[in-house]
Amino acid sequence: MPTPSMEDYIEQIYMLIENKGYARVSDIAEALSVHPSSVTKMVQKLDKDDYLIYEKYRGLVLTPKGNKVGKRLVYRHELLEQFLRVIGVKEEHIYEDVEGIEHHLSWDSIDRIGDLVQFFDEEKDRVEELRTIQNRSE
């Protein structure tokens, strides 16, 4: 697994706080498959950059800036999963594919993918046409 980016940390912290109400260094380390010392270094950097407030042995809290970024990163991840499902990517490939592409797309590209997912959501018959084309090519 590649080294997690700053975005990976913010996204994971946001999800932990949303799901559990808190995010501990040990939880972040486990979720990202990194050593707690790596998490501590990144958390200190995120604190310095005003994404969160970190107090040693007390935990951390996202700032409004960190919360906004975290929410947007989770949206991006979920949107890309939806998109890959719409275009017929097999479920067992989706998570790994999203992890591989999410940091390489501009927000403009993400917004256009959002438009496309919304279109397919509103035009279910178009998704069926896409499935028919895919089945013929397999």
Side-chain angles (χ1 to χ4, degrees):
M1 180 176 184
T3 303
S5 69
M6 186 172 86
E7 286 185 344
D8 291 321
Y9 279 91
I10 295 171
E11 182 180 5
Q12 193 59 55
I13 291 165
Y14 178 87
M15 289 190 311
L16 283 166
I17 291 172
E18 284 292 300
N19 295 329
K20 295 172 76 171
Y22 60 90
R24 296 182 314 208
V25 167
S26 58
D27 297 325
I28 300 163
E30 183 180 336
L32 295 175
S33 302
V34 297
H35 292 289
S37 59
S38 299
V39 175
T40 299
K41 285 180 194 164
M42 180 58 77
V43 164
Q44 290 168 341
K45 178 180 177 12
L46 293 171
D47 184 7
K48 185 174 148 290
D49 293 343
D50 296 323
Y51 289 101
L52 55 81
I53 299 166
Y54 173 63
E55 294 178 18
K56 198 171 184 177
Y57 307 118
R58 293 190 53 134
L60 51 96
V61 178
L62 287 171
T63 62
K65 173 183 173 181
N67 199 57
K68 180 179 178 184
V69 170
K71 187 174 191 171
R72 187 141 166 96
L73 294 172
V74 168
Y75 163 78
R76 175 181 71 186
H77 189 100
E78 291 172 351
L79 177 66
L80 290 171
E81 283 184 359
Q82 273 184 284
F83 174 68
L84 294 179
R85 282 187 187 96
V86 165
I87 63 171
V89 173
K90 291 183 174 93
E91 198 63 37
E92 63 264 21
H93 300 292
I94 289 178
Y95 181 80
E96 189 175 317
D97 286 352
V98 168
E99 288 297 310
I101 64 174
E102 68 182 334
H103 302 293
H104 299 283
L105 294 173
S106 69
W107 285 104
D108 183 43
S109 294
I110 297 296
D111 290 340
R112 299 299 67 80
I113 289 170
D115 294 341
L116 191 59
V117 168
Q118 182 179 351
F119 170 78
F120 279 120
D121 196 44
E122 293 169 359
E123 302 286 334
K124 300 285 187 202
D125 56 321
R126 303 297 285 176
V127 175
E128 290 308 313
E129 287 178 45
L130 182 60
R131 297 281 183 267
T132 303
I133 292 168
Q134 289 171 338
N135 289 337
R136 275 187 269 163
S137 67
E138 289 179 354

